[in-house]
Amino acid sequence: MAYSFVLLRGLVREAAHWGEFLDQMQEHFPDSSLACLDLPGAGAHYLKRCPTSIAEIVRFMRAEFRRLDLPKNRPVVLVATSLGGMISAQWVQDFPEDFHVSVFINTSYGSYSPFWQRLQPRALKQLSKVFVLKGFSKEHRILEVVSNRPELYPKIAAAWAEIGSQRPVSAENTIRQLVAAARFKTNIKKPPMKVLLLASTQDRMVSVECSRAIARAWGVPAVEHPTAGHDLPTDEPRWIAEQIQRFMKSF
């Protein structure tokens, strides 16, 4: 069956940061379409000022979504990671008619988890040093926090540095996105659709307990990768595509 996948990345990331994951999705769903939406302040919208509330970001993202020329009569599947998962949770609660299936990857909600799990202290300390770095050094430091695949760091850091040179996310927008994430404590309910939760057991940025808390609250399982880091699409892109494929075949 063919689907329309709509993908949302996380904090200060954009469509290009999906990397190999897009190829894996196209391989596993050859007849389906992929559309990536960028957050305000990143990617195609890097010159825009990002709102500091998830609700406002949702309004922006939905306007972009409605401009997409998606194929007719196909189920629309939302795939979102980290901050994108927070935006998506609000989105599917406010506008459930937009999607048929939601996939949340390594996300967290303030109504279910304490702040020290949503951004672990050690990760916060490491990321605080990113602001004084640029280019390759900056992206390498980020990878040291979000990825558990050090053998990938040189290649990925170089690719991400190139992305950043073309569409730099300002320090102001970085802070505004962080504020929006920190303020997100809306009592999110289980989406009225099929939901897949994916998480990394060894996530060193956002505790896996956040995904487990969502799973308990919503009464759905969280499928965990045993070794990947917070940036699961970078560490294990094939595994995610396989999990989504398996999930879509289950109903």
Side-chain angles (χ1 to χ4, degrees):
M1 185 173 181
Y3 304 95
S4 291
F5 289 98
V6 176
L7 284 67
L8 275 66
R9 255 300 198 155
L11 181 72
V12 302
R13 304 290 85 171
E14 60 154 90
H17 288 102
W18 285 109
E20 187 186 335
F21 177 65
L22 298 181
D23 296 330
Q24 290 295 334
M25 286 295 289
Q26 206 65 77
E27 178 182 323
H28 285 77
F29 298 93
D31 299 321
S32 298
S33 63
L34 302 175
C36 300
L37 294 178
D38 286 330
L39 278 62
H45 313 300
Y46 78 97
L47 294 177
K48 296 185 181 296
R49 197 165 187 243
C50 185
T52 56
S53 82
I54 295 296
E56 290 181 59
I57 296 175
V58 167
R59 286 194 286 272
F60 177 91
M61 302 295 288
R62 190 168 190 253
E64 293 298 305
F65 167 75
R66 291 168 71 87
R67 294 189 186 101
L68 295 176
D69 185 22
L70 298 179
K72 305 297 183 183
N73 303 317
R74 286 185 181 181
V76 183
V77 183
L78 181 60
V79 180
T81 182
S82 195
L83 175 58
M86 298 178 212
I87 296 165
S88 298
Q90 185 71 62
W91 189 341
V92 299
Q93 180 167 286
D94 293 345
F95 307 100
E97 68 275 14
D98 288 347
F99 304 102
H100 299 86
V101 178
S102 295
V103 180
F104 300 91
I105 305 170
N106 282 335
T107 194
S108 66
Y109 310 133
S111 54
Y112 297 148
S113 302
F115 68 88
W116 62 84
Q117 289 183 345
R118 299 184 66 212
L119 181 54
Q120 300 192 79
R122 183 178 178 184
L124 178 60
K125 182 179 179 180
Q126 290 176 283
L127 290 173
S128 67
K129 303 173 184 177
V130 166
F131 288 97
V132 299
L133 300 175
K134 294 182 179 180
F136 181 88
S137 297
K138 175 182 178 180
E139 299 299 342
H140 198 282
R141 175 62 60 84
I142 291 172
L143 281 164
E144 289 172 357
V145 178
V146 303
S147 170
N148 291 347
R149 298 280 304 276
E151 72 276 12
L152 300 178
Y153 293 177
K155 179 180 178 181
I156 300 297
W160 286 5
E162 178 62 24
I163 295 169
S165 69
Q166 296 176 14
R167 295 172 295 279
V169 178
S170 68
E172 180 189 6
N173 274 329
T174 300
I175 293 171
R176 293 179 72 85
Q177 287 189 8
L178 281 168
V179 169
R183 293 173 61 192
F184 187 55
K185 295 183 179 180
T186 304
N187 186 23
I188 293 296
K189 301 175 183 177
K190 180 182 181 297
M193 60 194 66
K194 299 289 186 180
V195 174
L196 173 62
L197 292 176
L198 298 178
S200 301
T201 308
Q202 301 300 321
D203 189 335
R204 292 177 289 113
M205 180 173 173
V206 177
S207 172
V208 69
E209 292 301 330
C210 295
S211 290
R212 291 171 179 171
I214 297 169
R216 289 192 297 271
W218 290 357
V220 299
V223 184
E224 297 182 20
H225 191 284
T227 61
H230 181 69
D231 198 331
L232 189 53
T234 293
D235 279 8
E236 296 294 339
R238 176 176 289 276
W239 182 84
I240 300 177
E242 290 172 348
Q243 297 305 314
I244 295 175
Q245 185 182 62
R246 184 175 296 119
F247 182 71
M248 300 304 286
K249 288 180 178 179
S250 69
F251 54 86

